[in-house]
Amino acid sequence: MKMWSGRFNQGPDAEFEQWQRSFPFDRLLLPYEVAASKAHASALAKAGVLSGDELAATLIALDQIASEGAPEADDPAIEDVHHYVESRVVELAGEVGYKLHTGRSRNEQIATDLRLYVRAQIDDLTTLLAEFGNAFAKQAETSGAPSFAPDRGPRQVPLSDLSGWLGESVGQADNVMPAYTHLQRAEPVLVAHWLLAYVEMFLRDLDRLADCRKRLNVCPLGSGAIAGTILPLDRAAIAEELEFAAPTANSIDATSDRDFAIEFVQALSLVALHLSRWAEEFILFATAEFGFLKLPEEYSTGSSAMPQKKNPDALELIRGKAGKVYADATALFISAKGLPLAYNKDLQETQQPVFSAAQQVSSMLRVATGFMQAVEFNYGRMQQAASSGFMNAQSAAAHLVRQGVPFRHAHELIGKAVRLCVEQGCELEQLSKENYMLCGIAADEQFYTALTLNEVLAIHNVPGGTAPQRVLKSLQTAKEELSQFLGVAHACT
Ligand code: ARG
């Protein structure tokens, strides 16, 4: 039976009728529609609309509907998930099923179901994101943990003299790599420092999702179609049963608000943005030109034409699929903009972008985490890259500054030394004292010490900097913060 045929003389145009249905996609909301219907039925019993027996029969039918799940085949006579649940309760429990819609409207139901769906997705995505972040923290640990011990003495090895410590560094020491600005080598950093930069992005993503969850966690049920329900329903009890923090405050807003859906997909857009930046950098670092990492075979594919190829398809697809999430965010904005209060059917169009973005990001995160756990770094190559390109120039200038030379002059003097090195095809630590003299620099032993990798790292000794003891601290903090998110198990209906 239709939910609204009484006042019509004729049925809808067949094509229009099918075209306006949402059951092909809102069937996904079935578990939430059932949970919300159970809470409503209990409130109806408390208000005297359902007898004890009627409530029991209704709840048994609703539980059965939840355990059956949405039907395999689409039924063209069913308009939406709300219609499906009501019709199925009637099939299972008889006439009493027609009482279930007393004092409620599909406008408040869809607003509630969608909130419950987004809340459950936030909980799942929180776990996935925290696990992804953990994979970075583990790699950071492997890349430098043993030598993070503070009692370990400094290692005075010139950047260009890798022979003494390349072997030692591979896979176990404070592994170092160049950090880039403008995609040009800028300064050496610990590999762990670089990896932890990504963890910061994911921690912000986690925070944004938690914030969105907090704001969405209010219950529209009891708002009716727009002005509030016509029955004395206990809205606080309904909200509590569905684990919402409180009932919504205004029935007009409650039935038309989709801010939570927009916020959610915006937060996912940033997750996708971070994933795509990560994918891009790893694609670059996996090229023969960089050679910083080895693509895991289980996340790569070959070429049908070129036998030698191993392609970073997992990363490329993550980068590519990010675009779809932005499309969903844009679609949501455009569907919701300019709508007069309160419910308008346009709002039906806000469902699919939410489903699609959640599913997209969740699958991207699963693949990304597997990749990140499997990837191996070529620390030797990273170290080599960090050992050339005058990345100790700033440390050299800092040494002159410590001797009282104004920074601008120090910058100029070291710049001249770099020019000489370029002409002679050597690095700063290889330039002779005599040559430094020509540049106006008295290069003593301490000056050469300032050029060593250890010193270059050590001078970045500020919170958030790349000095090893600072990175160790950041790693500990990041792990603690991630574990807080993993520990948040939100019970969901
Ligand atoms: N399928 C509808 C939606 O998603 C449910 C609400 C229908 N309300 C109405 N007044 N026609 O928006």
Side-chain angles (χ1 to χ4, degrees):
M1 179 175 178
K2 271 203 182 345
M3 295 180 100
W4 45 263
S5 50
R7 68 95 67 216
F8 287 83
N9 287 318
Q10 64 171 68
D13 168 83
E15 188 175 350
F16 164 66
E17 185 176 21
Q18 287 309 306
W19 177 78
Q20 60 94 44
R21 293 171 62 233
S22 55
F23 194 50
F25 49 87
D26 68 15
R27 47 189 285 127
L28 210 83
L29 296 174
L30 184 96
Y32 311 108
E33 173 67 12
V34 167
S37 294
K38 284 173 72 175
H40 180 69
S42 301
L44 284 180
K46 257 206 225 169
V49 175
L50 294 181
S51 69
D53 285 351
E54 286 176 328
L55 173 64
T58 306
L59 293 180
I60 288 171
L62 285 168
D63 280 336
Q64 181 171 335
I65 294 168
S67 63
E68 288 168 356
E72 289 283 309
D74 182 30
D75 178 350
I78 296 294
E79 191 173 330
D80 56 25
V81 69
H82 321 292
H83 185 205
Y84 172 74
V85 170
E86 181 181 296
S87 314
R88 188 78 186 121
V89 172
V90 171
E91 277 169 20
L92 294 169
E95 274 296 298
V96 66
Y98 289 124
K99 290 193 177 181
L100 186 56
H101 208 61
T102 320
R104 76 172 179 178
S105 154
R106 286 184 295 166
N107 300 353
E108 59 179 324
Q109 283 172 260
I110 184 60
T112 305
D113 295 358
L114 208 51
R115 279 175 195 263
L116 289 171
Y117 172 85
V118 171
R119 193 177 72 181
Q121 290 299 318
I122 287 179
D123 292 347
D124 287 353
L125 286 160
T126 295
T127 305
L128 288 175
L129 254 171
E131 279 167 357
F132 187 43
N134 262 343
F136 281 76
K138 283 223 173 69
Q139 290 280 13
E141 223 157 22
T142 319
S143 80
S147 62
F148 278 157
D151 55 349
R152 189 169 168 223
R155 193 177 37 204
Q156 306 291 342
V157 182
L159 276 168
S160 58
D161 181 12
L162 295 170
S163 54
W165 65 304
L166 241 188
E168 168 202 351
S169 72
V170 173
Q172 51 149 344
D174 292 344
N175 286 302
V176 179
M177 65 185 289
Y180 298 82
T181 62
H182 311 270
L183 206 48
Q184 305 289 322
R185 285 178 195 171
E187 295 192 78
V189 292
L190 290 188
V191 173
H193 194 53
W194 166 66
L195 289 168
L196 288 174
Y198 283 103
V199 176
E200 290 303 310
M201 300 180 205
F202 308 139
L203 284 170
R204 285 196 296 276
D205 290 330
L206 284 161
D207 229 34
R208 257 186 293 273
L209 286 173
D211 192 46
C212 173
R213 189 189 201 281
K214 196 172 60 189
R215 232 183 328 279
L216 73 73
N217 206 24
V218 282
C219 184
L221 287 188
S223 298
I226 181 166
T229 178
I230 51 169
L231 293 174
L233 298 180
D234 184 348
R235 292 197 65 208
I238 297 175
E240 199 182 322
E241 184 171 338
L242 294 170
E243 292 176 30
F244 282 115
T248 48
N250 180 296
S251 60
I252 303 176
D253 177 56
T255 47
S256 72
D257 172 36
R258 293 294 182 276
D259 290 2
F260 64 94
I262 295 173
E263 276 186 47
F264 172 60
V265 178
Q266 291 289 333
L268 293 188
S269 300
L270 278 168
V271 175
L273 183 138
H274 294 150
L275 281 167
S276 76
R277 291 187 71 177
W278 164 75
E280 168 65 15
E281 194 163 59
F282 272 54
I283 290 168
L284 213 54
F285 286 178
T287 58
E289 284 71 15
F290 276 89
F292 288 178
L293 56 95
K294 207 170 107 193
L295 288 173
E297 293 208 353
E298 58 271 47
Y299 289 99
S300 309
T301 62
S303 154
S304 58
M306 297 167 279
Q308 85 284 9
K309 288 298 289 291
K310 183 162 79 161
N311 294 327
D313 290 30
L315 299 171
E316 289 170 314
L317 283 173
I318 285 171
R319 190 178 54 186
K321 283 175 191 284
K324 293 183 166 179
V325 183
Y326 310 146
D328 291 328
T330 308
L332 263 175
F333 256 132
I334 294 173
S335 297
K337 83 170 271 296
L339 292 184
L341 289 172
Y343 178 84
N344 297 274
K345 189 85 175 224
D346 314 43
L347 290 175
Q348 185 166 285
E349 295 302 312
T350 62
Q351 294 183 34
Q352 280 169 299
V354 174
F355 302 156
S356 139
Q359 284 161 0
Q360 201 72 252
V361 172
S362 147
S363 63
M364 283 158 80
L365 279 171
R366 281 174 216 280
V367 171
T369 302
F371 181 101
M372 201 54 206
Q373 285 164 344
V375 73
E376 283 173 33
F377 295 105
N378 185 348
Y379 296 122
R381 264 306 274 267
M382 288 168 143
Q383 208 105 316
Q384 248 155 6
S387 72
S388 59
F390 316 110
M391 286 191 290
N392 44 6
Q394 213 187 149
S395 179
H399 178 77
L400 298 185
V401 167
R402 282 196 293 275
Q403 294 185 328
V405 182
F407 177 74
R408 187 53 54 224
H409 296 322
H411 185 288
E412 198 63 20
L413 296 176
I414 299 297
K416 280 197 179 117
V418 168
R419 188 147 33 104
L420 217 54
C421 287
V422 172
E423 280 164 23
Q424 299 190 5
C426 69
E427 294 288 330
L428 280 173
E429 61 273 26
Q430 294 165 328
L431 202 64
S432 66
K433 285 186 180 177
E434 294 70 31
N435 275 320
Y436 273 117
M437 266 315 196
L438 291 177
C439 305
I441 299 167
D444 55 9
E445 203 179 319
Q446 282 174 339
F447 176 82
Y448 281 101
T449 303
L451 300 179
T452 61
L453 184 57
N454 254 44
E455 277 304 300
V456 175
L457 291 171
I459 57 167
H460 299 282
N461 186 14
V462 284
T466 198
Q469 67 274 28
R470 299 294 185 174
V471 176
L472 175 62
K473 182 90 191 61
S474 305
L475 177 61
Q476 281 162 348
T477 311
K479 277 166 62 179
E480 275 162 29
E481 288 182 20
L482 286 170
S483 73
Q484 275 166 22
F485 284 105
L486 273 175
V488 184
H490 297 292
C492 215
T493 44

